[in-house]
Amino acid sequence: MIKDIVVNLNVSKDGGPAGDYAVSVAAAFDAHLTGIAFVFDPIVPVSGTGYIPAEVIETQQADNEAAAKAALDRFAAATQRAGLSAEPLSLTASFAGAGDQFGRIARRFDLAIVGQAEPETSTVDDIIAETTLFESGRPMIMVPYIQKAPLKLDNVMVCWDGSRQAARAVADAMPLLAKAGRVEIVIIASERGKQDEIEGADMGQHLARHGLKVDVHRVSGGNIDVADALLSHAADSSADFMVMGGYGHSRLREFVLGGVTHSIFRSITVPALLSH
C-alpha cells in the first residue's frame, strides 16, 4: 500500500514538475504527502583577499530562504486544491548534504518522489535522486523535468532483465500496476548473462496471477544501448509510466550509477519508478 509519500520540492523559480506530480500520485492513493524544501547554505565565493563581505552571505541566505518559502507556498496551495492530507517541511542543508538528508528521511515513507535534473543546471537534483535510490531502501519515482501531465497509468512499461533490482522494482510497483490499464513487460534482446527466464514469460504469468492484463515484448537492442532501446520503445508504445531496477553502488560515499541507470537519469522522458 502507498499511504505515506515524500517529495523533494524544487526551489527554482518555476518550481519544476515533481511537486504537482506528487500531488496527483497522493490523490490517486488517498495518501499523506510531505513536501520538503531545502534552504541551502550560502556558497562562499573564492576571494583573493580572503575577505567576503557579510552582506554577500546574508543576501544569499535571504534568497535561499525566500526560494524555499515560495516552493512550500506552491505545495500548500496545490495540496489544498486537491484536498490532501499534507505537511510542508523546510530543512537547512548544504548542496552536498541535501541528498543524504533526504535519503534518510525517505526511509520513513512508502515512496519518494524526486525531479530529474535539468540539463546544464545545478547537480543538487542529481545528488538527491542518486542518494535516495541507493540509501533510502524505498522505491523512488523520478519525474522528467519536461513532465506536464499528472499520474497516468493507462500503459505501464516494466523493464525486465531477471535481476534482483528488477524484481524489487516490480514488487515495489505493485500498487501502481494494480491501477494500470495495461502492463507491458519489455526485455532487451541484446542483454547477455541474464537467462533466468525465457522471454520474461514467468514474470508475465506472475503478474497475471495478480489479475493484471500483461503483454510480454522482446525488443532487439540492435546497435543502440539498452537505455536508448528502452526509451525508444517507451516512445513508440506511448508508455505513460516505467518500472525498472536501479543499478549502481555506493563507494566511500561516492555514488556510482550503472550505465543504464545513468542514461535513464539523463534522458528519461516518462515518469519512472526505480528501486535498488
Side-chain angles (χ1 to χ4, degrees):
M1 294 177 64
I2 297 175
K3 287 299 177 183
D4 207 8
I5 301 171
V6 64
V7 58
N8 175 54
L9 300 172
N10 189 302
V11 295
S12 63
K13 187 175 182 180
D14 64 0
D20 286 341
Y21 191 83
V23 167
S24 71
V25 176
F29 289 94
D30 192 23
H32 178 85
L33 180 61
T34 298
I36 294 179
F38 284 103
V39 178
F40 292 109
D41 295 337
I43 298 175
V44 180
V46 177
S47 171
T49 65
Y51 171 71
I52 306 300
E55 57 266 25
V56 172
I57 296 176
E58 290 170 358
T59 298
Q60 269 199 60
Q61 182 67 29
D63 289 345
N64 292 348
E65 290 174 357
K69 182 180 183 303
L72 292 174
D73 288 346
R74 289 190 296 267
F75 174 78
T79 54
Q80 287 172 8
R81 287 194 301 270
L84 293 179
S85 168
E87 178 185 6
L89 186 60
S90 176
L91 299 174
T92 300
S94 66
F95 280 96
D100 187 60
Q101 196 168 347
F102 187 82
R104 291 199 312 271
I105 291 169
R107 294 171 186 170
R108 305 193 292 271
F109 291 82
D110 298 320
L111 175 68
I113 299 178
V114 302
Q116 178 194 28
E118 293 191 35
E120 301 178 4
T121 61
S122 167
T123 59
V124 67
D125 287 333
D126 267 339
I127 293 171
I128 289 173
E130 291 175 17
T131 313
T132 303
L133 174 63
F134 287 131
E135 298 296 325
S136 72
R138 296 294 189 176
M140 175 186 88
I141 291 178
M142 175 172 278
V143 184
Y145 71 89
I146 60 171
Q147 184 72 19
K148 301 295 183 185
L151 175 69
K152 186 179 179 183
L153 298 170
D154 292 347
N155 185 11
V156 177
M157 175 176 153
V158 174
C159 308
W160 181 249
D161 62 2
S163 67
R164 179 192 67 80
Q165 291 88 344
R168 171 71 183 273
V170 170
D172 287 340
M174 286 304 294
L176 292 145
L177 297 179
K179 293 180 177 291
R182 172 178 175 263
V183 177
E184 182 183 25
I185 297 175
V186 176
I187 303 105
I188 303 301
S190 59
E191 291 187 293
R192 294 289 181 265
K194 295 172 180 175
Q195 303 298 329
D196 301 29
E197 303 185 7
I198 299 173
E199 303 291 338
D202 289 351
M203 179 50 68
Q205 291 172 0
H206 169 67
L207 294 180
R209 290 184 182 116
H210 283 269
L212 304 180
K213 181 181 179 182
V214 182
D215 296 317
V216 179
H217 196 88
R218 193 168 182 87
V219 177
S220 174
N223 295 321
I224 62 175
D225 66 23
V226 172
D228 287 342
L230 290 171
L231 292 173
S232 176
H233 184 77
D236 291 343
S237 64
S238 300
D240 306 309
F241 193 88
M242 292 173 60
V243 174
M244 64 182 298
Y247 302 89
H249 62 279
S250 174
R251 183 182 62 213
L252 298 178
R253 301 190 63 78
E254 174 188 358
F255 299 105
V256 183
L257 290 175
V260 174
T261 306
H262 182 271
S263 296
I264 292 294
F265 267 47
R266 296 294 177 270
S267 307
I268 191 169
T269 53
V270 297
L273 181 144
L274 297 101
S275 294
H276 177 60

